[in-house]
Amino acid sequence: EAGLAVLQGRNSGFSLQVRDSLNRFKALKLGYGDNPQVVSIDHCAHGPVGDVQAVGGLPVRIGVHAGSWEVPAHAYRDWLWKARDMEEAIRRQPSWIGDIRLAISWCPVHPGILDALARILPPERVVLHVPQWRAFGYDQDYPSFVPSEDGRAFLLRAREMGFHALPHCNANQVASDHPMGKVALDFAWRDRFTKRLSGWAWVESVNPRPPQSVSLLDTHKDWNVMLDIHQGFSGYRNELLFQVGRAVEDMGLDGIFLDTSNRFYNADNCVVENLTSIEAGLLLLREVGTLRPGFAVGGEGRNELSARESAFVQLHVLKGMPEVTPLEAIVPVNERLLSGLARGIGYGGLDGKGDLSPILLAMTERMGALPTLTVRDPGEILAPNPLVARVLERALADA
């Protein structure tokens, strides 16, 4: 995805840049054999790779710089924004996203939270990421996006009050026991080298990958087996747009959240209906974004591909990362390259509970995210602990 790597010393460094306007797959690698001091950017052929004899054609520019990492990052940004016409992407974004001052990630469908938030900030300044709004379990029965009674009542009330709500959906994963799972199985991503099905399964103590036996795919409902479907399959895109569009019209939504929207996988079956997985993923995001005027697409993670078609993105801080990585190692390269596109919101642990929460907040702020909370109860807003109070004060100061 991003064709940039910077190795920074105290007052100087060098960088690798691949100025690729063709959406080719690349791989950044650190180390070679026993030598950890090697850095490279590989060019990767589209799958299937069995008969590929050569790949390349993208020059790697090696540069040296005086000063901080921002010097090569700004040079890459200047090229990127012109090559990708990022200004046009900004013009396509809904105007209201610039008014947002507070995000609630993983917001429960608790009406009291809406009342509590409305006492702090005007609702039109708040965006809500709402995961448990459907009549199904989390990550089950994709792509059926049918609200539960509680979920529908919450989202209707949120919209009536003026909140911007992003119900949680999924960009490319299908439940293996869903009817679409049967139809789309032939279009599931497969590993370029092993040919194994790509996907996810919520199974404790088991490698979280889908079973490879077709007979097992829908045997264990509790495993939540999801297959990664190539979005070039128009049958899948049409079903997803129908399901999401129906929910949007029913509840008057002005946005949706598409989980896994940041994934562009170089699969064995990389090209479907004459679209690579990158082209197909971007097409799906663009199609969802045109469901209604002023419609916002939220997503997971921010990269130079998905940022062009997204309004909000959750910025990841990986589990366990704060325990082994000092705060100083969080460098906001992503924000420098893509600020102005796809406003970042926090991911998790932003509730002031436990020793890890302040570290996660500091890392989230360092990455340039909007003030974000992951509160679960109205009392956490009306009688905030110090961390929640700090985030609310930031939101109020920005408002």
Side-chain angles (χ1 to χ4, degrees):
E1 294 161 356
L4 171 68
V6 181
L7 283 87
Q8 180 64 37
R10 287 186 175 87
N11 298 300
S12 61
F14 71 91
S15 63
L16 306 179
Q17 295 188 27
V18 180
R19 298 185 176 183
D20 169 23
S21 59
L22 301 175
N23 292 335
R24 297 190 186 179
F25 287 99
K26 298 170 288 295
L28 175 67
K29 293 185 177 181
L30 300 177
Y32 182 80
D34 296 330
N35 186 351
Q37 296 182 310
V38 175
V39 59
S40 65
I41 296 180
D42 288 358
H43 300 153
C44 306
H46 292 159
V49 297
D51 297 326
V52 175
Q53 300 298 312
V55 67
L58 295 174
V60 179
R61 301 164 185 259
I62 302 175
V64 295
H65 62 273
S68 77
W69 59 268
E70 293 179 310
V71 175
H74 283 153
Y76 186 75
R77 176 188 164 103
D78 288 344
W79 168 82
L80 176 68
W81 279 62
K82 293 176 183 176
R84 301 288 190 181
D85 197 2
M86 295 299 201
E87 296 296 340
E88 190 274 335
I90 290 177
R91 288 192 292 271
R92 287 190 281 106
Q93 290 181 340
S95 59
W96 59 263
I97 71 170
D99 298 331
I100 299 301
R101 296 296 179 267
L102 177 68
I104 307 295
S105 277
W106 310 102
C107 181
V109 291
H110 190 322
I113 284 189
L114 300 176
D115 296 326
L117 287 169
R119 293 175 62 176
I120 306 294
L121 276 170
E124 59 271 15
R125 296 297 183 93
V126 181
V127 66
L128 310 170
H129 162 241
V130 185
Q132 298 282 16
W133 64 281
R134 299 183 307 138
F136 313 98
Y138 182 75
D139 271 355
Q140 287 187 345
D141 294 277
Y142 292 146
S144 290
F145 299 116
V146 179
S148 65
E149 290 185 12
D150 289 345
R152 186 173 187 274
F154 177 86
L155 290 168
L156 285 172
R157 187 155 187 263
R159 293 296 297 130
E160 182 182 355
M161 295 176 69
F163 288 98
H164 302 282
L166 308 178
H168 188 101
C169 301
N170 196 289
N172 76 307
Q173 292 183 324
V174 169
S176 62
D177 61 342
H178 189 281
M180 178 52 68
K182 314 298 185 187
V183 174
L185 180 59
D186 287 343
F187 301 95
W189 286 341
R190 288 184 176 272
D191 185 273
R192 277 183 302 158
F193 303 106
T194 68
K195 317 304 181 188
R196 292 176 65 87
L197 286 170
S198 175
W200 191 260
W202 290 94
V203 190
E204 290 186 7
S205 304
V206 176
N207 187 12
R209 294 292 180 264
Q212 300 300 302
S213 165
V214 174
S215 62
L216 284 177
L217 283 176
D218 55 1
T219 301
H220 298 279
K221 181 73 171 178
D222 57 320
W223 287 9
N224 280 23
V225 176
M226 296 170 289
L227 300 174
D228 292 326
I229 304 301
H230 194 305
Q231 294 127 318
F233 173 38
S234 56
Y236 169 70
R237 286 203 323 279
N238 291 340
E239 179 66 15
L240 181 70
L241 288 166
F242 169 75
Q243 292 278 349
V244 172
R246 183 170 58 179
V248 167
E249 291 301 319
D250 175 42
M251 294 176 285
L253 301 172
D254 62 356
I256 208 79
F257 185 92
L258 292 177
D259 206 23
T260 71
S261 63
N262 60 333
R263 297 184 65 202
F264 303 94
Y265 187 48
N266 188 6
D268 179 61
N269 50 337
C270 185
V271 180
V272 169
E273 295 188 22
N274 209 32
L275 295 171
T276 68
S277 51
I278 290 177
E279 293 165 340
L282 294 176
L283 174 61
L284 176 66
L285 292 176
R286 175 73 66 89
E287 290 175 336
V288 172
T290 57
L291 283 172
R292 298 182 74 177
F295 193 76
V297 178
E300 178 184 12
R302 178 173 60 185
N303 58 51
E304 66 179 65
L305 297 173
S306 62
R308 291 150 51 193
E309 307 296 341
S310 305
F312 297 98
V313 287
Q314 281 181 329
L315 303 179
H316 282 209
V317 175
L318 299 179
K319 290 182 179 178
M321 190 175 180
E323 299 168 6
V324 297
T325 304
L327 177 61
E328 293 74 21
I330 303 297
V331 182
V333 181
N334 188 283
E335 178 69 12
R336 292 291 188 275
L337 295 180
L338 301 170
S339 60
L341 287 164
R343 302 193 74 188
I345 65 175
Y347 187 72
L350 306 175
D351 55 8
K353 299 176 182 178
D355 296 337
L356 199 56
S357 190
I359 302 173
L360 291 169
L361 176 63
M363 289 182 163
T364 300
E365 291 176 340
R366 194 176 180 91
M367 289 191 293
L370 283 163
T372 306
L373 294 171
T374 54
V375 293
R376 308 291 298 170
D377 183 87
E380 297 176 64
I381 299 168
L382 298 176
N385 61 39
L387 183 143
V388 173
R390 173 185 161 187
V391 173
L392 291 175
E393 287 170 4
R394 273 192 60 212
L396 285 168
D398 291 343

